[in-house]
Amino acid sequence: MPASGGAARAEQVVLERALGGYNGVEDNTLYEELVDNTNGGMPHIYAGRAGTLGVRRALIRFDFTGLIPRRSVIESVELTLVLNQSGNGTIDGEPYTLHRLTREWGEGVALASDDGGRGTPADPGDATWNWAEFGRELWTQPGGDYLAASSATLPIDRVSAVRADPYTFTSQAMVDDVQLWANAPFTNCGWIVLGNEAAGIRNARRFFSSEADENRPRLVVTYSVVNSVGD
């Protein structure tokens, strides 16, 4: 009769576009006042309020199918985004939150003519403010379908002179999110990043996206695997 259990061993997976050939990350930006715009091909994503123009919301998803063994126990999760610009009205320590998305969405290769602050018209399948996949599937709620309860909150300062400031989200709720996705990969729709949208000032933050040449978003997942015979 095969043994069913054994000592757990700790493992870690580090996910970042182009790291070790990994290409399973998607990210995009939603624009409140430009409901059919997107920026999937740009090297930046945005979150927060762009003054009187409206808010920006960033989407991000990492696919770890086949990278975390079945029946693993997720121990810790860290999502690092690197800040490279902040709005003129920004103050230090503004709260940014992650929320678990509940609907699939799309990322195309749309390229805006500027730095992506206003996006560019979407191609079929791109995520926009109104569409999870442009021309195919609407969000139930414009601006994205996500859980009201946040998975993590992190105060983010104004950009520094070096313009490459890493910020790492980590929490037990993020562990729960990734455990759910590891157990049921079809539920992995990623997270949405929200800035301080209640503020009446231009406080949006710009982060490097997975299309950037450096400082790309990174997800680090630590998990334990029970050694067993007969698996």
Side-chain angles (χ1 to χ4, degrees), residues 8-9 16 19 24 29 67 71 83-84 97-98 109-110 128 135 155-156 166 172-173 176 193 201 212 215 223 226 231:
R9 67 181 190 275
E16 179 184 328
L19 184 66
T29 302
L67 300 175
R71 295 196 298 275
L83 177 71
N84 61 58
T97 56
L98 288 185
V109 294
T128 70
I156 295 183
Q172 180 57 48
D176 296 340
V193 185
I201 56 177
N215 298 313
Y223 58 93
V226 176
D231 250 353

Side-chain angles (χ1 to χ4, degrees), residues 77-81 154 166-170:
V77 176
E78 297 181 350
L79 171 65
T80 298
L81 301 177
L154 184 66
Y167 286 88
T168 299
F169 293 87
T170 185

